[in-house]
Structure formats: structure tokens, C-alpha cells
Amino acid sequence: MHIRLDNRLELLFTIMLLSDYKDGGLLTRKGNGQVENVRAHFSKYCSHQAVIDFSKVWMAEISMDTIPYYAMSLALDYSLNPNIDMEYILEEVPDIKTVSAYAKKLKAFAEESDFDRYFMRLKTDFTPYLEKINSLLDKRPVQTILECYMGMKFPQVHIVLSTLMKPFMSLTFSGEEQTEVYSFTSYPGLLIAEENQGLERVLICSVWHELSHHVINPLSEMLCESDGMMRDKRDEWFCPLNESIIWAITIRLLLAEGIITEKSVGFMIQNGIKNKAPMTETMYKLLIDYEAKRHLYPGISAYFPVLSEVICK
């Protein structure tokens, strides 16, 4: 497991920063140094067509992971990869011609601004920081620990550091040959964690949290498919249930790995509750039961009916 920068993601977020796009909290617009660097370096390209058209292509109400998905759908030269399934994008932007045409504008922006040269310097500047956070991940088999807890194997996993993305985010992506799972790590978020002496905890917690969505979200989707009443009330329970389960899982793993102590569990549970995971405490207690009965429940999917029963009552 290795954290890296991605030129496609950095390009899209650079253009987003220069544009008038209403990002809904997806982008950090001030305060971490990198924002100011980007503005200073690319300010003369604010009138480029890729910048002007950004808010026309990407409507404000689209799902937050749509733009990262689009970034991963690009080839390394910023053209649209013809081998990538665009079905998910077309749920948000119904016209394939629109996203195809916009990829050409992205490519033109990259060429005219010499973005690749900028990105190479960015990678050089971030090498010490990447080495630091990768050394924290290398202390333990982070992916294997989560796989053992979930009772399943992940497909190909990518951990990407974004210098401008505000939230941490997950993405299950239909790659060229197989499904790929992305955990997008927020550089601004890690800076805040480091200021509060919590870099290792937040870094590892974020990877476990984001990768867990690949497992838990589909289980909740299956609940929608099998129960009409649950499907009708999806907006009320889907995200709170997923977030509560995932917060509880990460807390149990942090405790098991000695990253936090028992004294910190209450704080972490309350933190989950404050962050749209209202059932974190209930799920935490149920997961203790899951761990004690792994001979009956080989994986989290087998135990999911017990976890979801909380909202089915």
C-alpha cells in the first residue's frame, strides 16, 4: 500500500479552483499554502475555456465523487480513456458528448499551461511528506488488517493524496480490466490532524474508513433491493447506517492496533455521532459481539443482517 499523487486529479482540482464552480465543500479554497501556490502559478489561465466551462459541465448538485471518478477515467495524457465504463458519469452528466468534449479542453489547458512540468515539481516538493505518511502506513499491514476483519479480499487498491480536496473520499471504480478501489486522502485534512498530534490516527483511520465503503455500501444497497419499504425510506437511513457501521469498524481496529486506548473510545464514538454517524455506539457494541462469534460469522456480510436490524425495527 503506497500513497501517491495523481496528475489527473490535481489537474481537475486546479481548474476547479480557478473557476466559479459551487463545489459544495469538495475543494479547499484557502489556508494551506498549496491553494495560494496554485492560484499564483495558474492565474493567467483563468480565462481558459476549460476553466470557463467547468461549472457548465459539472452541475452543483452532482454527487461529490463524480469529479474524482471522471479524473480516474482519463488517460495519463488527459484524454478520455475509451476503455473505461462511463455509465456512472452518465448518471450525473447525461450527454457523453459533453464529457468527451470537455476532456479535449482539459488536455488543451494542460498543454498550454505546461501542467506536466508543474506536476513534476509538485511531486518533488511533496516527496518528503509522502515519505513521512507512507512510513506511517508501513508500520502495519493496513489493508490485510481490514480484509481479515471484513472476511474478504479487496480488488486493486489505490491510495491517492489530493493537495486540494477538502474531504476524505472513497471510490469504487470500473477499471479497464477489473474493479478498483480508491481512497482519496485529503492533504488539508492531514495538516489539521498533524496540528492536533493525530496524524497517524487520522491517516490510518481514513484509509480503513474509505475502503470500508466498498464493502458496506453494497450491503445496504442489497437491503434496498430486497425490501420495498426500506427502498422508499432510503434517504432516511442509508448514509447514517453506513457511516455508523464504518465509524464503529475503524474505532475497533484503531483500538486493536494500539493506535488509540480505551480512554479514547468514548471520544471517537462521539466524534462519529457528530459526523453523520448517529448509531456509532450501537454498532460498536454489536461489533464486539461479531468479533466474539467469528466462528458463526466468517465475514461482515454474514453479520450485516444483525447490524441492519437496528433500522429495520
Side-chain angles (χ1 to χ4, degrees):
M1 182 174 286
H2 182 78
I3 305 178
R4 60 176 175 82
L5 295 170
D6 188 286
N7 61 323
R8 301 163 297 177
L9 192 69
E10 293 298 322
L11 175 63
L12 268 170
F13 273 71
T14 292
I15 294 173
M16 190 192 310
L17 180 64
L18 299 175
S19 75
D20 61 355
Y21 182 64
K22 307 300 181 185
D23 61 88
L26 180 59
L27 182 71
T28 294
R29 292 190 175 272
K30 60 181 179 179
N32 73 346
Q34 182 57 21
V35 170
E36 290 72 21
N37 291 341
V38 169
R39 288 191 186 279
H41 190 90
F42 292 102
S43 59
K44 63 181 178 180
Y45 298 100
C46 287
S47 60
H48 193 281
Q49 205 62 45
V51 176
I52 294 171
D53 288 353
F54 195 94
S55 59
K56 298 176 184 177
V57 174
W58 309 107
M59 306 304 289
E61 61 270 15
I62 62 173
S63 299
M64 204 169 253
D65 61 357
T66 303
I67 292 174
Y69 195 104
Y70 182 71
M72 298 303 101
S73 301
L74 300 172
L76 292 180
D77 67 351
Y78 313 113
S79 61
L80 197 60
N81 188 338
N83 299 318
I84 298 298
D85 184 358
M86 298 296 291
E87 182 178 354
Y88 183 75
I89 294 291
L90 295 180
E91 291 177 7
E92 305 288 344
V93 183
D95 186 1
I96 186 64
K97 293 180 181 179
T98 301
V99 292
S100 298
Y102 190 70
K104 296 177 182 178
K105 296 170 186 176
L106 281 178
K107 188 175 175 66
F109 179 97
E111 291 172 351
E112 293 168 30
S113 67
D114 201 3
F115 187 83
D116 283 346
R117 184 178 180 182
Y118 161 80
F119 182 72
M120 291 302 294
R121 188 165 64 249
L122 183 70
K123 286 206 299 182
T124 299
D125 291 344
F126 267 80
T127 294
Y129 191 78
L130 285 167
E131 288 176 348
K132 178 170 69 173
I133 57 179
N134 274 308
S135 69
L136 293 176
L137 280 185
D138 289 344
K139 286 183 178 181
R140 54 183 60 80
V142 174
Q143 182 175 335
T144 301
I145 290 169
L146 183 60
E147 288 176 336
C148 289
Y149 196 85
M150 295 291 201
M152 52 82 69
K153 291 285 186 181
F154 281 89
Q156 186 174 4
V157 168
H158 303 273
I159 313 296
V160 176
L161 180 71
S162 171
T163 68
L164 296 173
M165 187 185 290
K166 188 173 183 179
F168 296 83
M169 190 180 297
S170 65
L171 182 68
T172 296
F173 181 75
S174 299
E176 290 190 56
E177 299 180 358
Q178 62 177 345
T179 298
E180 301 172 4
V181 182
Y182 284 83
S183 172
F184 294 112
T185 303
S186 165
Y187 173 61
L190 291 185
L191 290 181
I192 294 171
E194 193 164 13
E195 289 173 2
N196 292 283
Q197 290 76 50
L199 178 60
E200 181 178 17
R201 171 176 57 81
V202 171
L203 172 65
I204 295 173
C205 181
S206 71
V207 172
W208 281 333
H209 186 113
E210 302 310 333
L211 294 183
S212 293
H213 277 290
H214 173 71
V215 181
I216 301 302
N217 287 29
L219 294 174
S220 293
E221 291 287 1
M222 290 173 63
L223 189 59
C224 287
E225 294 172 4
S226 63
D227 189 318
M229 185 178 297
M230 296 305 297
R231 182 171 57 252
D232 293 341
K233 295 182 177 181
R234 184 183 191 278
D235 291 345
E236 298 176 15
W237 64 265
F238 188 84
C239 287
L241 176 65
N242 294 342
E243 288 296 323
S244 297
I245 294 172
I246 291 169
W247 267 90
I249 288 171
T250 57
I251 296 169
R252 291 300 298 164
L253 293 177
L254 289 170
L255 182 62
E257 288 299 309
I259 300 171
I260 64 171
T261 65
E262 285 282 0
K263 291 181 180 179
S264 301
V265 169
F267 165 78
M268 291 294 294
I269 288 173
Q270 289 305 311
N271 201 20
I273 293 170
K274 292 175 183 177
N275 284 277
K276 301 179 181 180
M279 296 168 280
T280 302
E281 185 171 11
T282 300
M283 297 303 164
Y284 184 88
K285 292 176 180 177
L286 287 173
L287 288 177
I288 295 174
D289 177 66
Y290 165 67
E291 293 164 19
K293 296 178 180 176
R294 286 301 295 272
H295 59 293
L296 299 176
Y297 301 102
I300 202 71
S301 61
Y303 194 73
F304 186 77
V306 179
L307 297 172
S308 62
E309 189 177 342
V310 174
I311 59 157
C312 292
K313 291 179 179 178

